[in-house]
């Protein structure tokens, strides 16, 4: 990955006795940029995994596996379909107290749709897979246009899997966009 930016991080907590103490926090926003080339797919997946481990994110193994597959699919799509108009892509990881969101941004204006693919084709199911993984985990995903004319494809998942069984209520994280200001760098 070419460049890493970070927002958020440690915060000060007032303990019951004594003065303020700094506790590491896994919450924050990290942004990785890379060339839109094939080697960026495993690099992005490894960078996200390493970030989550380094930050101590309490992510359930099933959610981690699904999240890393989502990262691979989204970066692969950007490399295969947007590289001509977007020689650089950005992967953003935003972590809240109960959810995690990954997004991939490129400068290509085409907004893909997760459609049922012809089962005779060997490809074309990546976004359908992303949507299914997100929904199964109790999360959500979407595609948005950027102010510069490109797009951001994102998926948000809870840190812990949904409780199985009858009467389980779908719990979608309250996440509507990868960034509060899509025109911000």
């Amino acid at each position: 990955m070419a460049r890493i930016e970070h927002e958020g991080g440690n915060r000060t907590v007032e303990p019951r006795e004594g003065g303020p103490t700094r506790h590491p926090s896994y919450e924050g926003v990290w942004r990785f940029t890379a060339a839109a080339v094939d080697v960026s797919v495993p690099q992005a997946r490894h960078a996200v995994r390493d970030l989550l481990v380094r930050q101590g994110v309490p992510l359930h193994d099933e959610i981690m596996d699904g999240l890393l597959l989502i990262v691979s699919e989204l970066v692969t799509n950007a490399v295969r379909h947007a590289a001509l108009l977007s020689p650089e892509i950005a992967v953003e990881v935003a972590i809240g107290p109960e959810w995690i969101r990954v997004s991939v941004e490129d400068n290509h204006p085409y907004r893909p749709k997760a459609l049922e693919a012809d089962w005779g084709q060997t490809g074309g199911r990546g976004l359908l897979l992303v949507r299914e993984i997100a929904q199964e985990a109790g999360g959500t995903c979407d595609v948005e246009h950027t102010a510069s004319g490109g797009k951001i494809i994102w998926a948000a998942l809870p840190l812990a899997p949904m409780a199985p069984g009858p009467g389980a209520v779908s719990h979608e994280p309250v996440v509507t966009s990868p960034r509060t200001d899509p025109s911000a760098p």
Side-chain angles (χ1 to χ4, degrees), residues 2 31 42 76 82 89 94 101 107 130 135 137 141 166 170 174 181:
R31 186 173 175 88
T76 297
I89 60 170
R101 181 189 61 233
N107 292 323
V130 167
Q135 288 177 347
C141 62
S170 175
V174 183
D181 178 9

Side-chain angles (χ1 to χ4, degrees), residues 18-55:
T21 307
R22 295 202 55 85
H23 291 281
S25 172
Y26 57 82
E27 296 176 43
V29 178
W30 292 263
R31 186 173 175 88
F32 307 88
T33 57
V37 294
D38 289 338
V39 71
S40 294
V41 177
Q43 287 177 343
R45 185 177 56 250
H46 292 280
V48 170
R49 183 197 62 216
D50 293 348
L51 168 71
L52 299 176
V53 169
R54 184 176 62 249
Q55 292 302 117

Side-chain angles (χ1 to χ4, degrees), residues 12-23:
T12 302
V13 177
E14 292 288 338
R16 292 183 187 186
E17 297 178 34
T21 307
R22 295 202 55 85
H23 291 281

Side-chain angles (χ1 to χ4, degrees), residues 5-6 11 20 31 41 49 60 77 87 101 114 125 134 136-137 142 146 151 158 164 174 180:
E5 300 170 11
H6 172 250
R11 57 183 159 172
R31 186 173 175 88
V41 177
R49 183 197 62 216
H60 192 277
N77 281 353
R101 181 189 61 233
R125 296 184 192 87
E136 185 175 308
D142 202 0
T146 64
K151 68 182 165 300
V174 183
T180 55

